[in-house]
Amino acid sequence: GHILRTPCLKSATQRSDCTMALDNEKALALLARIAARDEAAFKALYVATASKVYGFVLNRTRDAARAEELTADTLYELWKNPHAFRGDSRFSTFLLGVARNKMLHAWRDQPPQHEDIDDFTPVLASSEPDGFDQLAEKQRRQGVRRCMEKLPDEQRACLHLVFYEGLSLAEVAGVQRIPENTVKTRLFQARHKIKNCLRLFLQTERAHG
């Protein structure tokens, strides 16, 4: 009920009138008005950015209803916290970073049922032989998913942004506002924990199998 509906989401393929054409100066001006609870300013921000955010989320979730929901959540975040953007990065980068975080939280709360975990499997550098049958592969995917759920939020976020979203270390550092070396450390720790967790998980599965 808090989000204003606009043509951007109703016709997401028609983007000529719904583009993220806000430079930092214009975005900061709108956000200052939003901080004063100016609904017209929020509507202007929504119209300018909703289609871009929707397309970004839809491309990653492949779920139109979820993409619309996450787009609304992303922009409502700016209504709640208009001062979060301080102008130290491009506004579009900041806004898509908010959208990524919303996707991460949704992914954590409801892990995907499709098997995109395959994209992550090579990262594990497993010592298992290549001759996995289908059951073993399914167990591995389940294990990776469970092990990722056990990671601290900051490590899981770094891992997801790099291996699912395809961001560079520098881009992750920008999104999370941390030094690039911190990103490297979190990735190293996360991969180490997942390898150990996955080994234990597979041993347990086979012991009970």
Side-chain angles (χ1 to χ4, degrees):
H2 297 92
I3 291 295
L4 298 168
R5 306 290 290 182
T6 77
C8 290
L9 288 184
K10 293 180 181 179
S11 56
T13 57
Q14 301 173 1
R15 303 194 179 180
S16 57
D17 296 325
C18 300
T19 59
M20 192 177 290
L22 293 179
D23 58 26
N24 282 14
E25 185 178 352
K26 291 177 182 177
L28 286 167
L30 285 174
L31 290 168
R33 290 168 55 193
I34 290 170
R37 290 300 174 254
D38 183 336
E39 291 194 7
F42 181 69
K43 182 175 182 178
L45 183 73
Y46 199 102
V47 168
T49 61
S51 182
K52 181 72 172 181
V53 174
Y54 176 81
F56 173 81
V57 177
L58 181 63
N59 186 49
R60 286 154 176 77
T61 63
R62 293 175 173 78
D63 182 330
R66 174 57 64 88
E68 183 169 342
E69 177 184 346
L70 290 172
T71 299
D73 287 349
T74 296
L75 290 161
Y76 183 51
E77 190 67 31
L78 295 187
W79 175 260
K80 292 190 299 180
N81 300 297
H83 296 303
F85 178 64
R86 299 190 296 270
D88 51 2
S89 65
R90 290 179 59 193
F91 178 67
S92 59
T93 301
F94 166 81
L95 187 58
L96 295 182
V98 175
R100 284 190 189 98
N101 286 335
K102 293 294 181 182
M103 285 189 289
L104 283 172
H105 285 298
W107 174 81
R108 178 191 63 188
D109 295 340
Q110 188 174 3
Q113 296 303 310
H114 49 80
E115 300 298 346
D116 61 350
I117 204 73
D118 286 336
D119 296 335
F120 181 75
T121 301
V123 178
L124 301 176
S126 173
S127 59
E128 297 292 339
D130 293 334
F132 264 142
D133 58 20
Q134 290 183 349
L135 177 59
E137 285 293 343
K138 183 177 181 181
Q139 287 177 340
R140 188 208 286 266
R141 294 187 192 106
Q142 291 173 341
V144 172
R145 189 172 291 124
R146 291 187 189 181
C147 291
M148 285 193 74
E149 290 171 359
K150 294 179 181 180
L151 291 175
D153 286 349
E154 65 273 9
Q155 292 177 13
R156 180 170 55 243
C158 282
L159 209 59
H160 187 85
L161 289 173
V162 171
F163 295 108
Y164 284 93
E165 303 295 342
L167 271 65
S168 68
L169 298 184
E171 288 172 329
V172 175
V175 168
Q176 297 198 324
R177 298 181 183 178
I178 58 176
E180 192 170 329
N181 282 338
T182 302
V183 176
K184 293 178 182 177
T185 299
R186 290 179 178 178
L187 286 173
F188 174 81
Q189 293 172 338
R191 296 189 339 182
H192 181 72
K193 288 178 181 177
I194 285 189
K195 284 182 185 179
N196 290 337
C197 173
L198 183 61
R199 182 166 55 248
L200 291 173
F201 174 84
L202 293 175
Q203 288 174 352
T204 301
E205 287 291 302
R206 287 164 189 166
H208 286 86

